[in-house]
Amino acid sequence: MTRTAPPTAPARAPATPAPPSSRRHSVRALGLVAAVLLLLAVLVLSLAVGAKPLSAGQAWDGLLHRGSDSYTVVHQMRLPRTLLGLLAGVALGLAGAVMQAVTRNPLADPGLLGISAGASAAVVSAISFLGIVSFAGFVWFAFAGAGAVAVLLYAVGGGRGATPARLALAGSALNAALYSYVNAVQLLDTASLDRMRFWTVGSLAAAQTSTVEKVAPFVAAGLVLALLLARPLNAMAMGEDAARALGTDPGRVKIVSIAAITLLCGAATAACGPIIFVGLMVPHLVRALTGPDLRWLLPYCAVLAPALMLAADVLGRVVVRPSELQVGIVMVVAGGPVFLYFVRRPRSKAVAS
């Protein structure tokens, strides 16, 4: 008699793993939350650290209660400085990210295309020849200088047919010429040298509430433009022909990119002076976490760039007490070795990041 095998239970289907893209989005989202928490911690440090150290509780009490002993220190000295560092960091970080995307050069910074140099030359001219010493006067000269250089750069670089290499070369030439002009004005105008010297170093120490209120709308406008550019610049990363096939107009994207960079760099330069390496370092470091997708890279830069800016400012307050180092000097000292490291890294690793 033939024996039949006993019935077996149906095999369980293996659990479907989460798609790699879903896991990647979750990791990026958690990383962005961690970046926001880091920024909040640096904001508290910026309010607490200075010539008169405050605890976190004292800083919080001084921020919220007018009758607090620390109210005057927080509101008149620390809060404007912290808010200006926040806005300038956002502006420089986003400007660097957009510039690196539009030039397709991961080592580009806001000084590469000469935009910051144009703003600096215009502001130095206003200080020396017109005696203007306030942000209300600086900002319009900064935008005029940055805008003029942007238009000149676009024309010299080839207009709608401009390539990243031509834009970089034209920007480098304009950058060298304009900073030579800035140095010449400083040497020839000794009466204005002291006023210009403090501004050209790059500093948050002279921040005022009025400056923060005036610079905020310009940074907000540049922020909106930069975030709107995320998808078009992602398309352009595949080449201009591929971008056109996806419905993106490369010429228009370049114009809007230069407008965003002008707004962001012009506002930050007018308020704080030229501060380098923020726009270079942060996008490059963030790219190692997020990859090249600008939909994630830009928000990360908007959070981590001000964290770096304020951390450098806090460090400058404590390393040479009771004096302080300006944030522009701290960024040069800290950013130089990092820049050399990225330059000397093997190309394969740089591309993989």
Side-chain angles (χ1 to χ4, degrees):
M1 187 174 73
T2 305
R3 294 185 179 182
T4 59
T8 57
R12 293 183 179 180
T16 304
S21 60
S22 176
R23 291 199 300 270
R24 192 159 52 242
H25 287 321
S26 298
V27 170
R28 287 171 175 172
L30 289 174
L32 189 57
V33 171
V36 171
L37 294 176
L38 174 64
L39 176 59
L40 291 174
V42 177
L43 288 171
V44 172
L45 279 177
S46 183
L47 293 176
V49 174
K52 180 182 179 182
L54 302 174
S55 66
Q58 288 173 320
W60 182 255
D61 192 46
L63 183 64
L64 298 180
H65 302 107
R66 184 176 293 272
S68 170
D69 293 338
S70 55
Y71 180 87
T72 300
V73 173
V74 171
H75 277 265
Q76 292 187 6
M77 300 174 62
R78 308 273 174 83
L79 185 60
R81 184 171 185 164
T82 299
L83 292 177
L84 184 59
L86 177 67
L87 291 172
V90 170
L92 294 173
L94 287 175
V98 171
M99 187 173 298
Q100 290 175 14
V102 77
T103 62
R104 296 202 289 274
N105 180 358
L107 293 179
D109 76 335
L112 177 66
L113 298 185
I115 307 297
S116 294
S120 299
V123 171
V124 166
S125 298
I127 293 173
S128 179
F129 302 131
L130 301 178
I132 295 174
V133 294
S134 67
F135 175 80
F138 282 171
V139 68
W140 303 113
F141 282 91
F143 285 135
V149 170
V151 172
L152 181 61
L153 171 71
Y154 190 66
V156 173
R160 287 182 175 269
T163 63
R166 291 186 69 177
L167 284 174
L169 288 172
S172 297
L174 290 171
N175 195 49
L178 288 167
Y179 275 123
S180 296
Y181 167 78
V182 169
N183 291 331
V185 171
Q186 289 180 317
L187 290 173
L188 295 174
D189 186 3
T190 55
S192 300
L193 178 59
D194 288 338
R195 293 198 300 269
M196 289 187 290
R197 183 172 54 197
F198 183 77
W199 179 84
T200 54
V201 153
S203 173
L204 300 175
Q208 298 177 356
T209 302
S210 60
T211 303
V212 174
E213 292 171 350
K214 290 170 183 173
V215 77
F218 300 112
V219 175
L223 170 66
V224 171
L225 280 180
L227 294 178
L228 290 176
L229 284 166
R231 288 182 182 274
L233 286 174
N234 276 345
M236 284 188 62
M238 297 182 288
E240 294 192 5
D241 290 338
R244 289 189 186 95
L246 293 172
T248 298
D249 182 348
R252 184 179 301 171
V253 172
K254 291 173 186 174
I255 292 173
V256 177
S257 297
I258 290 177
I261 293 166
T262 299
L263 275 172
L264 294 167
C265 286
T269 303
C272 308
I275 298 175
I276 63 173
F277 285 128
V278 176
L280 168 70
M281 292 169 55
V282 174
H284 199 77
L285 292 169
V286 167
R287 198 173 291 110
L289 302 173
T290 66
D293 189 348
L294 287 160
R295 294 172 300 174
W296 286 99
L297 190 142
L298 290 174
Y300 265 85
C301 288
V303 175
L304 291 177
L308 174 64
M309 182 94 155
L310 290 171
D313 187 47
V314 170
L315 181 62
R317 299 181 211 175
V318 300
V319 293
V320 290
R321 279 182 174 173
S323 300
E324 67 176 63
L325 288 176
Q326 306 305 327
V327 64
I329 298 174
V330 177
M331 284 307 308
V332 169
V333 173
V338 175
F339 175 68
L340 291 176
Y341 166 74
F342 286 133
V343 168
R344 292 181 61 85
R345 275 203 310 175
R347 184 173 178 81
S348 60
K349 290 184 180 181
V351 173
S353 66

